[in-house]
Amino acid sequence: MGTVSGVAGDVAKGQACLFGGLGVCVTLRPEGLAVNHGMSYFGVHWQTLLPYAAGLAGAALFTSRALRDAAARTPHPAHLRRMAGSFAVLLAGIVLTPYTLGGAVDWAHRGLGAALFVLQLLLAVRLVAWARGDAVGVAFFLVQLGGGVLAAVYVLQTEGLLIHGEATFQLGFALVLARTLPLLAPPVATASPASGGAPAAAPGSPATVSCQ
């Protein structure tokens, strides 16, 4: 089980990779903000392919690691670990399916992107619920949801604010992670029915003190 500071650090590193890579891409090809192809626009031009791929790879690595490390603090650790793995796989798939190839590859790219958005929404809902509906976490989720709605409105249009919606969605998701993961309480030790034993007392607890 990762420490709270370690998990928060990985979330921050993942977002630094994502938005740092995006910043480099926008600097090299600023027209990407207006062509309405989303972040994927930067994955089909040689000038921006490397920072685009590196940014998404870093986001996949650190974000999935943060989720896996925090999984033991949740009611369903195995499920969260699977979702973390799926997050990394979907991001990799998006990088490996440039939409300019057209046909099945383009639709695969769109499908992977849609699946990633759904996965991130489900992750955010679960984390906010496990954080007992923390008000700040809910507010950050609404930011994420608003970005998702904006992206969905423009995803099939030739002009619009697709990349702005995607960036808002990813920022909201990152804020949900940063807020809720540290709030997840570690699991409480329980006695094993088979052994009939009692859970070990934490240092400084009354049971420990009475034995000293």
Side-chain angles (χ1 to χ4, degrees):
M1 180 170 60
T3 64
V4 171
S5 60
V7 169
D10 277 342
V11 172
K13 291 173 187 175
Q15 296 312 301
C17 289
L18 177 63
F19 286 100
L22 182 61
V24 173
C25 290
V26 170
T27 300
L28 294 174
R29 294 193 70 104
E31 72 276 11
L33 293 175
V35 294
N36 203 50
H37 289 303
M39 297 182 188
S40 299
Y41 174 82
F42 301 116
V44 298
H45 297 281
W46 67 267
Q47 300 100 321
T48 53
L49 177 58
L50 181 58
Y52 167 79
L56 265 62
L61 170 65
F62 290 114
T63 304
S64 62
R65 189 168 74 179
L67 291 168
R68 287 196 305 270
D69 287 347
R73 296 174 176 268
T74 71
H76 303 287
H79 183 62
L80 185 57
R81 291 189 186 102
R82 286 194 296 270
M83 295 182 82
S86 298
F87 175 82
V89 169
L90 288 171
L91 270 179
I94 288 172
V95 174
L96 296 174
T97 54
Y99 66 89
T100 49
L101 293 181
V105 177
D106 180 24
W107 283 106
H109 181 85
R110 293 175 185 268
L112 289 166
L116 179 65
F117 266 51
V118 171
L119 177 69
Q120 288 178 276
L121 285 171
L122 291 175
L123 269 169
V125 169
R126 283 186 174 272
L127 290 172
V128 170
W130 287 335
R132 297 179 175 84
D134 173 71
V136 177
V138 171
F140 289 154
F141 171 71
L142 292 177
V143 172
Q144 178 187 357
L145 183 62
V149 171
L150 182 63
V153 168
Y154 289 108
V155 69
L156 294 178
Q157 300 186 33
T158 56
E159 297 181 357
L161 304 172
L162 178 57
I163 192 171
H164 304 80
E166 290 177 344
T168 303
F169 180 89
Q170 296 301 334
L171 177 61
F173 178 66
L175 291 173
V176 169
L177 296 184
R179 175 63 182 180
T180 59
L181 290 180
L183 296 179
L184 300 178
V188 178
T190 56
S192 170
S195 64
S205 66
T208 304
V209 173
S210 64
C211 294
Q212 294 177 348

